[in-house]
Amino acid sequence: MPSTTVHAGFALLLAAGLWRGVLDRRVVAVLLALVAFPEIDSAAGLWLDGAHRALLHNLTLPLLAGLWLYWDTRYRDSERSWLRGRWGQRGVTVAWVALFVHVFAHALLDYAHLEGINAFYPVYDRFLRLEGELALSTTDGIVQTFVDVDVGADGGEVTDVGATGTTADTHVANPVEPSDTVEEPDEPVERLFPVAESGWQLFLVLAGPFVLVARRFQKRRDEA
């Protein structure tokens, strides 16, 4: 899986683009805590089969949170709004930025990695993975393999959107559960805590803090 440092680097990039002005330390701390929070479902996998990439990596929770945020901040006035009444407009902005950062920098990033995510858990138990390519060919025109439409045995169309399995038969390796086997190993189990597993991941790890620091230097220069 992309490491927490990769998620954090990408989150800082997105937040820098979404946030008006310079991110202060408190906002950065909130965003990074939210980005790391879904990894708790790795531990839940000790008691609940297939919990990792399902329990807190789905899109169901962000969808419900987004609907509540929209209702609370758009259809309730400032006196009745729970969020705005306690944290003001700044709290509303932080909440929306945090929601988008969680969806794009964590859930959807994992959606394109390994076994994907259980996107609509617990409403619908099915892991989905974003895998394929999109290209413009001089002979075949537009070619895409993210959604594969084929002919089934009965002659009807069968659409494959990257389904990989369910919580009953899908295990995504993580430091808490490196393997889905419960047998006693002959040698110590290696628990790997990755920082970056490829060049593009290292780029995100470094680019996020770089942009954050650059924005601060720009603010100091403008104020000078």
Side-chain angles (χ1 to χ4, degrees):
M1 64 181 182
S3 66
T4 303
T5 52
V6 174
H7 290 301
F10 192 24
L12 293 178
L13 279 176
L14 289 176
L18 294 170
W19 188 265
R20 180 178 298 176
V22 178
L23 290 163
D24 60 37
R25 295 177 181 177
R26 183 176 298 180
V27 174
V28 170
V30 170
L31 294 178
L32 293 181
L34 182 65
V35 167
F37 177 73
E39 300 300 348
I40 294 177
D41 64 14
S42 299
L46 296 172
W47 299 278
L48 182 63
D49 289 341
H52 184 46
R53 294 282 187 94
L55 193 62
L56 297 176
H57 282 73
N58 57 69
L59 299 179
T60 306
L61 294 179
L63 177 61
L64 293 176
L67 291 174
W68 179 83
L69 272 175
Y70 187 80
W71 170 77
D72 185 62
T73 59
R74 293 295 298 272
Y75 287 97
R76 306 179 78 188
D77 54 40
S78 58
E79 295 182 357
R80 297 176 57 202
S81 171
W82 182 89
L83 186 61
R84 186 176 284 111
R86 286 159 178 75
W87 304 101
Q89 183 57 40
R90 179 182 174 83
V92 175
T93 304
V94 171
W96 279 113
V97 170
L99 180 63
F100 279 101
V101 164
H102 164 71
V103 171
F104 287 94
H106 202 131
L108 294 184
L109 197 59
D110 282 343
Y111 173 39
H113 186 256
L114 294 180
E115 300 302 320
I117 61 173
N118 204 320
F120 303 106
Y121 184 86
V123 178
Y124 178 66
D125 184 9
R126 176 67 63 179
F127 280 85
L128 301 175
R129 175 177 57 199
L130 182 65
E131 185 179 38
E133 63 177 0
L134 176 63
L136 179 61
S137 170
T138 57
T139 57
D140 299 324
I142 298 177
V143 178
Q144 73 83 28
T145 58
F146 291 102
V147 178
D148 187 21
V149 180
D150 204 350
V151 179
D154 59 354
E157 289 187 350
V158 177
T159 303
D160 181 10
V161 294
T164 58
T166 67
T167 53
D169 56 22
T170 302
H171 173 78
V172 181
N174 59 80
V176 178
E177 287 187 293
S179 173
D180 58 351
T181 59
V182 295
E183 298 179 359
E184 289 294 331
D186 296 331
E187 298 180 358
V189 176
E190 180 185 16
R191 301 183 185 275
L192 188 63
F193 297 84
V195 175
E197 297 178 316
S198 62
W200 70 266
Q201 291 190 9
L202 182 61
F203 172 79
L204 289 181
V205 170
L206 300 177
F210 171 79
V211 170
L212 195 66
V213 172
R215 292 285 293 271
R216 288 190 174 274
F217 275 110
Q218 288 176 342
K219 180 181 179 182
R220 291 180 182 179
R221 184 189 62 186
D222 295 339
E223 293 176 348

